């Protein structure tokens, strides 16, 4: 048992975490040269293409030291993006040590610092590693100083490796064995196993990936989940290799899987504790929380006949991703669809792309929204994530919106553009901290609604791709927010409603009206396109009527004949306007929903 080491790798996106993991698999002989491919632990094509880890993985490595001693190394991989911060915190809880991977060409990024602080809070042993030292542009001297300033280690503690060539990997394996402590062993206590990940298998149900903290679990034993009290029989337990390796028993300190014919992934929640039914633990492992969606968007099929296919696709996606939530919704303009909740913008983008790739469904997604808390005049507080659910202005006492604390790390040359961007998005300045190598960390408190649309894109383009962003939710704050409605012919178009700050409502309303005026085809009658807050119209444009020259046949004679015909036509158009309905073409919706934020100002 003293020869077990549980560790994870902390790194920002694109700092070479998956490539380094490949080299560790190779050097320990876990994978033969014939089976080897790039980003071995990234199973989705989407992960390989984008170079990001979306779903974390775990694998057991057998490492034989030069003196012949055999060690079991459990690598618990973690996602690198801010959207999956909760999964990262649970993976860290399952480890005793962490490898901090920093790109020697780019330096420390915001997400690295965020995950590092979590690791330090959980008292993990940190092994700092400089990656990509084989590149000509690498700067190990300066980047090494950044790491020393951040965690206060000695220069000789920092290892230099190249995930691509394998240079320095044998020294890293030795450092894992020497520096990371073995797990605490208490095999006689009641079972406490932390679920740090789960996957759905079509034939065997939900598979829980666990780190056994105390006690042990044998094959065939009855176990239960402490959060929802559901009980199951442990049909199979074992270790995580590239595939499953069954064993008779999992003991304290070990990492493995438990299969119990769990039909629903919602029962196997990340962060929950498993214990035995016969000898249950008194209390679960602390830190468990439900995955709470932060961003909401409507998903509608482009073709209304695909509605059932879309439902099936979302059900299948939810089997592999418990943090995706959805419910049916109807829109007058877009028909039947679903209101889906996501952990963040990257999560939303991935779900959309998977719907398109894996299920071949064309979808329209509405503008992403956040969840607001609305206090009514009666004192009741309701949660609103869809603008069409917002009560009338007369019933509302106050609206509270979610705020986040955003940390941005950038070269000092780009402080101006970042501050300008944050001020435009109603940001509250907190502080700035100058780091080594002419880099600065800027902290702002921002409304979540201002960040979800395209803040990240603007941040990257304003700093030529050098800035990195990390954020965490802080609290709900009172805001001067209004619901902006778009009316066509005095009829509200629910899919184009949005919740916005009062100061920005006029500009946004003007821009949407102008855009719709261009895109709505002309009718036989004039169509009024209006933006309204409650009953007050704040912007208007008109789509002019198609004009038919009814007086063409009157060639001469008294002017009163022409006037009579024109009056008759006017009456007809008036009647038509009362009964006529305006169809908004698909491209008009897409243009308004994907409108650039610069256009919105």
């Amino acid at each position: 048992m003293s020869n077990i080491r549980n560790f994870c790798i902390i790194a920002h996106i694109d700092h070479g975490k998956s490539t380094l993991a490949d080299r560790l698999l190779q050097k320990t002989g876990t994978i033969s040269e014939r089976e080897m491919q790039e980003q071995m632990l990234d199973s989705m094509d989407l992960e390989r293409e984008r170079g990001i880890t979306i779903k974390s993985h775990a694998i057991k490595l057998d490492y034989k030291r030069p003196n012949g001693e055999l060690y079991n190394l459990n690598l618990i991989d973690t996602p690198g993006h801010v959207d999956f911060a909760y999964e990262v915190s649970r993976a860290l809880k399952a480890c005793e040590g962490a490898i901090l991977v920093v790109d020697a060409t780019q330096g420390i990024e915001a997400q690295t610092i965020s995950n590092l602080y979590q690791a330090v809070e959980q008292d993990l042993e940190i092994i700092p590693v400089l990656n990509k030292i084989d590149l000509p542009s690498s700067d190990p001297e300066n980047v090494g100083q950044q790491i020393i300033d951040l965690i206060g280690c000695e220069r000789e503690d920092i290892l230099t490796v190249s995930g691509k060539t394998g240079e320095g990997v044998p020294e890293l394996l030795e450092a894992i064995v020497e520096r990371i402590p073995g797990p605490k062993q208490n095999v006689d206590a009641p079972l406490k196993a932390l679920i740090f990940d789960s996957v759905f298998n079509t034939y065997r149900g939900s598979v829980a990936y666990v780190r056994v903290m105390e006690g042990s679990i044998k094959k065939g034993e009855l176990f239960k989940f402490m959060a929802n009290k559901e009980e199951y029989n442990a049909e199979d337990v074992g270790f995580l290799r590239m595939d499953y390796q069954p064993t008779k028993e999992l003991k304290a300190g070990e990492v493995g899987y438990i299969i119990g014919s769990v039909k629903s992934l919602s029962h196997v929640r990340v962060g929950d504790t498993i214990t035995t039914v016969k000898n249950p633990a008194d209390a679960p492992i602390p830190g468990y929380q439900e995955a709470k969606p932060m961003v909401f968007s409507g998903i509608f099929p482009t073709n209304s006949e695909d509605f059932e296919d879309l439902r099936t696709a979302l059900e299948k996606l939810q089997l592999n991703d418990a943090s995706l939530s959805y419910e049916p919704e109807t829109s007058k303009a877009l028909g039947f669809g679903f209101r889906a909740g996501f952990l963040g913008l990257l999560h939303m983008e991935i779900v959309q792309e998977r719907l398109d790739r894996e299920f071949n469904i064309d979808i329209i997604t509405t503008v992403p929204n956040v969840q607001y808390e609305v206090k009514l005049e009666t004192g009741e507080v309701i949660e609103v994530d869809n603008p069409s659910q917002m009560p009338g202005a007369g019933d509302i006492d106050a609206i509270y919106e979610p705020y986040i604390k955003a940390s941005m790390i950038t070269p000092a040359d780009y402080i101006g553009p970042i501050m300008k961007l944050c001020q435009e998005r109603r940001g509250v300045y907190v502080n700035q901290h100058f780091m080594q190598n002419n880099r600065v960390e800027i902290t702002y408190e921002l409304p979540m609604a201002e960040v979800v649309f395209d803040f990240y894109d603007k941040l990257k383009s304003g700093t030529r791709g050098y800035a990195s962003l990390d954020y965490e939710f802080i609290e709900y704050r009172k805001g001067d927010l209004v619901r902006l409605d778009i009316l066509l012919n005095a009829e509200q178009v629910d899919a184009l409603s949005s919740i916005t700050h009062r100061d920005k409502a006029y500009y946004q309303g003007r821009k949407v009206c102008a855009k719709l005026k261009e895109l709505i085809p002309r009718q036989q009658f004039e169509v009024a396109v209006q933006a309204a807050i409650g009953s007050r119209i704040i912007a208007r444009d008109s789509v002019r009527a198609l004009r038919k020259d009814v007086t063409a046949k009157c060639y001469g004679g008294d002017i009163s004949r022409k006037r009579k015909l024109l009056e008759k036509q006017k009456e007809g158009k008036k009647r038509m306007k009362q009964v006529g309905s305006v169809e908004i073409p698909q491209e008009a919706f897409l243009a308004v929903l994907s409108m650039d934020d610069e256009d919105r100002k």
Side-chain angles (χ1 to χ4, degrees):
M1 289 293 282
S2 59
N3 284 19
I4 293 175
R5 297 289 182 269
N6 299 321
F7 69 98
C8 63
I9 303 177
I10 294 172
H12 192 75
I13 292 170
D14 204 29
H15 277 212
K17 175 161 62 80
S18 298
T19 313
L20 183 60
D22 288 349
R23 296 296 82 77
L24 292 173
L25 294 177
Q26 261 182 319
K27 294 286 184 206
T28 54
T30 309
I31 288 177
S32 66
E33 291 294 333
R34 192 169 57 82
E35 296 170 304
M36 192 66 209
Q37 60 179 42
E38 281 189 19
Q39 291 168 257
M40 201 70 207
L41 295 181
D42 292 344
S43 50
M44 277 189 262
D45 290 340
L46 205 56
E47 291 180 304
R48 294 175 194 284
E49 282 171 27
R50 291 184 171 217
I52 54 175
T53 301
I54 297 165
K55 190 97 175 94
S56 59
H57 294 266
I59 191 161
K60 185 181 178 186
L61 318 171
D62 292 330
Y63 172 56
K64 197 170 189 179
R65 293 187 74 175
N67 62 10
E69 210 175 343
L70 194 65
Y71 277 80
N72 291 330
L73 311 181
N74 289 308
L75 163 59
I76 298 168
D77 199 10
T78 58
H81 197 273
V82 60
D83 286 3
F84 309 107
Y86 175 61
E87 279 99 322
V88 173
S89 76
R90 297 300 83 204
L92 294 175
K93 186 85 176 167
C95 302
E96 277 81 37
I99 299 173
L100 171 67
V101 176
V102 178
D103 186 334
T105 62
Q106 293 182 45
I108 287 170
E109 307 277 10
Q111 189 59 47
T112 319
I113 294 177
S114 166
N115 289 346
L116 176 66
Y117 286 163
Q118 284 194 45
V120 171
E121 272 171 32
Q122 302 203 16
D123 210 21
L124 301 192
E125 179 64 40
I126 310 291
I127 300 178
V129 169
L130 281 177
N131 192 19
K132 304 191 186 179
I133 57 157
D134 57 308
L135 295 179
S137 57
S138 71
D139 186 4
E141 195 60 38
N142 277 322
V143 178
Q145 190 58 47
Q146 288 178 26
I147 295 175
I148 293 167
D149 292 346
L150 188 65
I151 61 176
C153 63
E154 298 297 324
R155 172 72 67 175
E156 53 270 20
D157 294 340
I158 302 172
L159 301 176
T160 53
V161 304
S162 168
K164 197 171 185 179
T165 64
E167 184 188 338
V169 173
E171 289 81 355
L172 175 59
L173 285 164
E174 278 297 300
I176 290 168
V177 170
E178 285 173 9
R179 295 198 212 170
I180 295 174
K184 295 185 181 77
Q185 300 150 31
N186 189 354
V187 184
D188 303 323
L191 173 70
K192 271 190 187 179
L194 171 76
I195 302 172
F196 62 83
D197 198 8
S198 59
V199 293
F200 189 81
N201 184 300
T202 316
Y203 305 105
R204 308 185 76 178
S206 293
V207 182
Y209 291 179
V210 297
R211 155 72 199 275
V212 183
M213 296 296 193
E214 292 176 5
S216 63
I217 181 165
K218 293 186 177 74
K219 187 176 176 178
E221 255 187 304
L222 268 178
F223 69 90
K224 71 172 178 180
F225 300 111
M226 293 187 84
N228 52 28
K229 307 289 187 281
E230 296 282 344
E231 295 182 6
Y232 293 96
N233 182 36
E235 294 172 5
D236 192 8
V237 298
F239 301 116
L240 296 157
R241 300 280 186 182
M242 283 315 287
D243 47 15
Y244 299 147
Q245 182 190 345
T247 184
K248 289 179 183 173
E249 184 179 19
L250 279 179
K251 297 178 186 171
E254 293 183 326
V255 173
Y257 66 89
I258 300 174
I259 298 176
S261 288
V262 184
K263 296 287 186 289
S264 167
L265 196 62
S266 61
H267 290 178
V268 188
R269 290 289 187 180
V270 172
D272 193 6
T273 306
I274 289 178
T275 190
T276 51
V277 174
K278 198 162 78 177
N279 182 19
D282 301 333
I285 298 159
Y288 169 69
Q289 61 187 61
E290 291 280 333
K292 192 169 184 281
M294 294 294 286
V295 178
F296 296 84
S297 175
I299 298 180
F300 296 88
T302 314
N303 185 349
S304 56
E305 291 165 11
D306 292 339
F307 175 71
E308 282 305 322
D309 293 345
L310 179 60
R311 183 199 294 276
T312 311
L314 284 169
E315 279 171 7
K316 285 181 180 173
L317 276 185
Q318 200 177 33
L319 289 177
N320 288 307
D321 184 358
S323 51
L324 169 67
S325 59
Y326 65 91
E327 55 185 34
E329 108 168 317
T330 317
S331 157
K332 285 180 195 169
L334 297 172
F336 293 103
F338 295 92
R339 188 90 188 152
F342 309 95
L343 295 173
L345 281 185
L346 178 80
H347 188 212
M348 175 176 150
E349 216 176 295
I350 287 160
V351 169
Q352 287 174 16
E353 193 137 343
R354 288 185 71 184
L355 284 172
D356 180 33
R357 281 182 183 212
E358 296 172 28
F359 304 98
N360 206 18
I361 298 174
D362 280 336
I363 54 169
I364 293 177
T365 52
T366 60
V367 177
N369 280 101
V370 296
Q371 193 167 53
Y372 298 90
E373 288 185 351
V374 181
K375 188 180 178 189
L376 303 175
E377 291 285 1
T378 56
E380 185 192 351
V381 176
I382 59 169
E383 291 184 335
V384 172
D385 59 58
N386 189 344
S388 58
Q389 298 168 349
M390 185 67 84
D395 301 327
I396 297 172
D397 178 35
I399 303 175
Y400 296 87
E401 60 180 332
Y403 264 71
I404 58 166
K405 185 178 179 183
S407 306
M408 290 148 284
I409 293 182
T410 174
D413 307 353
Y414 301 110
I415 294 174
I418 288 182
M419 287 184 139
K420 183 171 181 273
L421 175 66
C422 293
Q423 298 293 355
E424 283 171 358
R425 304 297 175 101
R426 301 189 282 128
V428 179
Y429 174 78
V430 179
N431 63 21
Q432 64 186 36
H433 166 61
F434 282 88
M435 302 161 72
Q436 274 284 330
N437 210 9
N438 196 31
R439 285 153 68 85
V440 62
E441 181 182 13
I442 304 171
T443 309
Y444 266 87
E445 288 176 358
L446 288 152
M448 181 83 180
E450 297 283 348
V451 175
V452 297
F453 195 69
D454 65 348
F455 181 85
Y456 189 66
D457 296 343
K458 289 279 182 286
L459 178 72
K460 282 291 185 190
S461 59
T463 61
R464 299 188 188 173
Y466 284 114
S468 61
L469 168 73
D470 176 53
Y471 62 84
E472 59 178 333
F473 170 74
I474 18 178
E475 60 181 351
Y476 276 88
R477 292 184 189 172
K478 190 174 177 179
D480 187 10
L481 302 165
V482 291
R483 186 177 87 183
L484 179 69
D485 291 322
I486 302 298
L487 312 174
L488 276 187
N489 241 0
E491 291 231 350
Q492 187 187 329
V493 184
D494 56 354
L496 295 179
S497 295
S498 60
I499 297 168
T500 185
H501 195 266
R502 195 180 294 275
D503 294 348
K504 292 189 172 186
Y506 170 73
Y507 301 103
Q508 194 169 324
R510 277 239 42 80
K511 200 67 205 173
V512 175
C513 289
K515 200 84 173 169
L516 286 174
K517 180 189 174 183
E518 290 169 25
L519 294 163
I520 291 174
R522 290 169 72 184
Q523 315 287 324
Q524 290 287 346
F525 52 90
E526 188 179 274
V527 178
V529 183
Q530 297 166 313
I533 297 173
S535 56
R536 189 163 67 88
I537 305 296
I538 59 165
R540 171 188 167 124
D541 259 310
S542 298
V543 180
R544 302 298 297 274
L546 283 170
R547 185 151 183 259
K548 182 184 173 189
D549 192 359
V550 287
T551 60
K553 59 189 177 208
C554 302
Y555 48 91
D558 192 358
I559 186 70
S560 59
R561 288 177 65 204
K562 287 186 179 180
R563 213 167 269 151
K564 193 175 172 186
L565 273 172
L566 288 167
E567 285 299 322
K568 196 174 174 186
Q569 186 191 30
K570 201 172 169 185
E571 285 300 313
K573 283 191 185 293
K574 206 174 186 179
R575 267 203 313 279
M576 204 187 285
K577 188 169 184 173
Q578 285 168 357
V579 296
S581 65
V582 185
E583 284 290 313
I584 305 181
Q586 201 79 53
E587 57 270 20
F589 264 115
L590 293 171
V592 173
L593 296 178
S594 63
M595 225 165 64
D596 184 58
D597 202 52
E598 281 303 319
D599 293 348
R600 289 171 177 268
K601 291 198 175 72

